[in-house]
Amino acid sequence: MASKTDFAADEWAQLQHGLAGTVLLVSVSDPGLFDTFKEAGAAAKHYAEARRNNANELVRELSADPGMGFGLGKNPQQLETETMSALRAAATTLQKKAPDDADAYKQFVLEVARSVAEAAKGTSAAESAEIEKIRSALA
């Protein structure tokens, strides 16, 4: 299993940005002030659970420092473009450097996306569409 030390700083940043961007992207796809708090709480809970119990070391390290500053202040289109780019770069990096961890990363990102989408009032059509885009970027 890979860990943070197996990646260059820019590669690790892409892994983080893909994860953090996913949370924001799903959240802003169906905005609502109180929903945002619930969604942030769901993401935080998911990270805490992964830090404690995920079998994959890479996922545990990412959940400890998911790079949550990424994406703040960006418009939704810019956030989507940069998140998809980060997810594609992360998937490529993992296939080259840590192929045994690629599925664990993809699964974790998608689990967090679903968690955020379901946090408020169930998954909306807009949130489902974003999750499918995220899934495609990770493929």
Side-chain angles (χ1 to χ4, degrees):
M1 272 190 244
S3 67
K4 183 177 180 177
T5 59
D6 295 311
F7 299 94
D10 63 325
E11 294 168 332
W12 187 255
Q14 292 300 320
L15 293 169
Q16 289 179 308
H17 292 173
L19 182 57
T22 291
V23 170
L24 286 173
L25 193 56
V26 172
S27 184
V28 301
S29 69
D30 189 15
L33 179 60
F34 294 111
D35 293 351
T36 301
F37 289 113
K38 290 177 184 176
E39 292 163 346
K45 183 178 177 181
H46 209 92
Y47 294 149
E49 178 66 23
R51 277 192 305 275
R52 287 189 305 271
N53 298 318
N54 198 289
N56 186 276
E57 182 179 350
L58 178 68
V59 169
R60 287 192 309 271
E61 286 189 74
L62 280 167
S63 63
D65 183 17
M68 292 309 293
F70 173 78
L72 296 177
K74 297 185 184 295
N75 70 52
Q77 184 56 50
Q78 186 180 20
L79 174 63
E80 182 176 304
T81 299
E82 291 180 18
T83 298
M84 296 305 156
S85 176
L87 288 168
R88 284 189 292 275
T92 299
T93 297
L94 287 168
Q95 284 302 323
K96 289 179 183 174
K97 289 189 134 180
D100 293 341
D101 295 306
D103 284 341
Y105 176 79
K106 292 173 186 179
Q107 181 179 350
F108 183 61
V109 169
L110 290 169
E111 287 171 357
V112 170
R114 284 189 294 273
S115 236
V116 169
E118 294 169 0
K121 53 190 174 282
T123 305
S124 70
E127 290 166 330
S128 291
E130 288 303 330
I131 292 170
E132 283 310 308
K133 290 177 189 176
I134 291 162
R135 184 184 319 282
S136 293
L138 289 167

